[in-house]
């Protein structure tokens, strides 16, 4: 069974997730921890739970979701994995920060470059990399079919969706991505990049951007 710990971090209130199972291996998803205090809190949780991070994943390449990946790399020796279409975004994180008035000093060290429908594994669980372009060209949703859990990044929020007016964004593409996501079972729990947890069923009933 998966255990999901949420850390809401940085000035943009981004959700970083530590996802573990009974083996004590874990995945760190969207580590946007900006302040050293946030990074230390995440590391303290990993230590207190006796976890071994084996995956460092990014749903997309925006800076607010990857501020802390170098700190995790230094602590655990794992580099961030991102979709091939967002690799250039990660490498341009300092420019992204400039757009929003934030200082981003380091370019992340990129590890595995993912493709749509790849799978990644930790412990006894597998996450499928569902394609979800629109917010960025290489957006991914990490879906654990066995546990009916999805990490949606900035594609799907509770009763909303990610913005499409940033470079590489596309309303047409994000709507297509949402139509794909809404084919998942209604009881799938969705952990978004910002804001509260939701479910596919709730979003189908209440999100104006979703339909079957």
């Amino acid at each position: 069974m998966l255990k999901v710990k949420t850390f809401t971090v940085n000035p943009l209130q981004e959700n970083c997730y530590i996802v573990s199972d009974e083996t004590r291996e874990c995945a760190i998803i969207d580590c946007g921890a900006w302040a050293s205090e946030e990074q230390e809190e995440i590391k303290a949780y990993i230590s207190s739970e006796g976890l071994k991070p084996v995956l460092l994943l990014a749903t997309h390449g925006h800076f607010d979701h990857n501020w802390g990946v170098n700190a995790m790399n230094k602590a655990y020796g794992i580099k961030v994995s991102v979709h091939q279409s967002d690799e250039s975004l990660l490498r341009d994180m300092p420019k992204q920060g400039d757009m929003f008035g934030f200082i981003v000093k380091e370019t992340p060290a990129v590890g595995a470059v993912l493709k749509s429908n790849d799978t990644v594994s930790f412990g006894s669980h597998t996450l499928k990399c569902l394609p979800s372009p629109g917010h960025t060209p290489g957006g991914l949703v990490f879906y654990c079919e066995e546990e009916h859990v999805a990490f949606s990044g900035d594609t799907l929020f509770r009763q909303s969706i990610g913005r499409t007016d940033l470079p590489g964004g596309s309303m047409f593409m994000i709507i297509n991505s949402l139509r794909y996501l809404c084919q998942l079972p209604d009881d799938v729990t969705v952990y978004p990049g910002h804001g509260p947890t939701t479910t596919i069923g709730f979003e189908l009933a209440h999100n104006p951007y979703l339909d079957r």
Side-chain angles (χ1 to χ4, degrees), residues 177-186 200 204 210-212:
S177 295
L178 293 166
R179 287 174 175 164
Y180 180 76
L181 284 181
C182 75
Q183 302 304 313
L184 297 178
D186 286 359
I200 293 293
L204 284 168
L210 264 67
D211 60 46
R212 288 196 186 272

Side-chain angles (χ1 to χ4, degrees), residues 32-49:
W34 172 56
S36 59
E37 293 83 1
E38 296 170 340
Q39 297 166 6
E40 291 304 316
E41 185 180 5
I42 291 170
K43 289 188 284 186
Y45 170 78
I46 290 170
S47 177
S48 68
E49 294 290 309

Side-chain angles (χ1 to χ4, degrees), residues 47-93:
S47 177
S48 68
E49 294 290 309
L51 301 180
K52 178 184 178 182
V54 296
L55 292 174
L56 182 58
L57 303 173
T59 58
H60 62 289
H62 281 159
F63 74 100
D64 58 317
H65 289 249
N66 294 282
W67 242 326
V69 296
N70 276 348
M72 298 301 110
N73 180 21
K74 292 173 184 175
Y76 305 111
I78 48 176
K79 297 179 181 179
V80 65
S81 298
V82 68
H83 190 279
Q84 57 188 359
S85 296
D86 272 19
E87 185 179 5
S88 60
L89 273 177
L90 273 185
R91 299 194 187 282
D92 284 343
M93 270 180 49

